Amino acid sequence: MATILITITQYGTPHTGPWLLRVVEALFWIYIGVSVLVSASLYLTLWSTLVFPIHTMTPVWVFPAYPLLLTAPFGANLISAADGTGRLGAINAVPIALAAVAVQGTGFLISFMVCAAFLYRLMTQKLPRDHQRPGVFISIGPGAFTCTGIVQLGTLAPSIFPDGFPPTTTASSVSTLQAAAAAAPILRLLAYTAGLWLWGLSIWFFLVSVGSLWKYVRPESKGKLRFQMTWFSFVFPNTALVTATEALGTAFGSAGLKIFGCVLAACLVLVWILVFTEMLRCLWRRELLWPKEDK
């Protein structure tokens, strides 16, 4: 849902009036409320009804918190669309930005703790089994989505936060006004720094995830990774890495990062074509979503 709303924000708002911005803003608040409630409810239901041994653990455990991880990119794109069309006054940019950071931080911290448990599982139980191996790529998403969102919000900080933010309860003075004027650049610097940390974490998980597939691609390997719907984990989490790389490239004006992001995007398109083609092949051969016959 968040990706659909982000697309509407990017491609719809420049060609319509301010009414669409207000509609998307209302949907933003609805999305936040529903995501938080559903995420908490899903985890509570899982913890109340099921037991998951540590040896079966994969980053898939992050999924109930995944909608939270799209909050900052959603909010940043909404504010960027309003700012780019000269209609920033049509939305409440400051509350949107602050809420996006709060919910994004919640989702990332939940995901970070799950990934910590995943590292413990790797240290004690080795890599997941063959049918679970693609799920390792899900560990890339939390850091990369958070990097994208906070870097985009940091870039927009001078537009989001008005002069005199944050408000003070003391009498105004020259030093206080100067500090308020410097708030946006400081927030932008902090966002870029945190984004670099999270991007580095995502790159590390990307290398681990790709390395976990070496078993199946080395020449002497006899193993074969059979297609499962989890193969789409090769695609979706890596889109976050692409957007994070492009966001940092734009923020720092780095041609190298932008080129690297384009290369990743091109490779990702090829991977998606491969996965989608393999899915169609398995459906055609009745190897997927088909009742097994007893022999």
Side-chain angles (χ1 to χ4, degrees):
M1 180 59 68
T3 54
I4 295 174
L5 294 174
I6 289 173
T7 303
I8 292 173
T9 301
Q10 291 177 333
Y11 297 100
T13 52
H15 306 288
T16 59
W19 65 269
L20 185 57
L21 288 170
R22 298 190 184 99
V23 170
V24 176
E25 180 185 3
L27 293 174
F28 171 81
W29 293 112
I30 294 172
Y31 176 82
I32 282 183
V34 172
S35 297
V36 172
L37 291 176
V38 169
S39 176
S41 299
L42 286 175
Y43 274 123
L44 186 60
T45 301
L46 291 174
W47 296 335
S48 302
T49 58
L50 298 173
V51 175
F52 298 96
I54 191 64
H55 69 272
T56 65
M57 194 274 171
T58 68
V60 173
W61 290 9
V62 172
F63 269 171
Y66 240 77
L68 307 180
L69 296 171
L70 292 171
T71 306
F74 183 12
N77 277 278
L78 175 57
I79 296 172
S80 177
D83 187 45
T85 56
R87 299 167 181 160
L88 192 59
I91 62 173
N92 299 300
V94 174
I96 290 174
L98 297 180
V101 171
V103 177
Q104 184 77 27
T106 301
F108 174 73
L109 289 176
I110 294 172
S111 304
F112 186 75
M113 289 184 282
V114 172
C115 288
F118 178 60
L119 290 179
Y120 172 77
R121 177 248 189 275
L122 293 178
M123 295 295 292
T124 57
Q125 305 289 333
K126 300 195 299 185
L127 288 167
R129 297 177 180 179
D130 293 350
H131 68 280
Q132 295 177 318
R133 195 68 61 91
V136 177
F137 281 84
I138 297 173
S139 59
I140 301 170
F145 278 122
T146 305
C147 171
T148 302
I150 64 174
V151 168
Q152 289 176 334
L153 288 172
T155 302
L156 294 166
S159 300
I160 296 173
F161 299 107
D163 294 337
F165 182 89
T168 60
T169 56
T170 59
S172 298
S173 64
V174 175
S175 59
T176 302
L177 294 175
Q178 289 176 343
I186 292 173
L187 288 173
R188 181 166 54 188
L189 178 61
L190 290 174
Y192 289 178
T193 303
L196 281 174
W197 291 349
L198 296 173
W199 182 77
L201 178 65
S202 300
I203 289 291
W204 187 85
F205 273 120
F206 174 77
L207 295 175
V208 170
S209 301
V210 173
S212 69
L213 301 179
W214 174 246
K215 167 186 174 181
Y216 308 101
V217 298
R218 58 187 179 184
E220 67 275 13
S221 175
K222 297 181 180 179
K224 182 180 179 181
L225 189 63
R226 295 186 59 186
F227 180 83
Q228 301 281 343
M229 292 304 291
T230 53
W231 275 34
F232 280 95
S233 299
F234 296 147
V235 180
F236 179 65
N238 288 314
T239 60
L241 184 59
V242 172
T243 56
T245 304
E246 291 292 339
L248 285 173
T250 301
F252 291 111
S254 172
L257 282 175
K258 291 180 180 179
I259 293 173
F260 181 51
C262 290
V263 172
L264 285 176
C267 294
L268 195 59
V269 171
L270 295 177
V271 171
W272 179 83
I273 293 173
L274 174 64
V275 172
F276 190 74
T277 302
E278 188 67 13
M279 182 190 70
L280 294 179
R281 186 190 69 82
C282 289
L283 286 172
W284 177 259
R285 299 180 62 177
R286 299 183 179 181
E287 296 176 358
L288 185 68
L289 302 178
W290 199 266
K292 300 293 182 180
E293 296 181 359
D294 295 331
K295 295 184 180 180

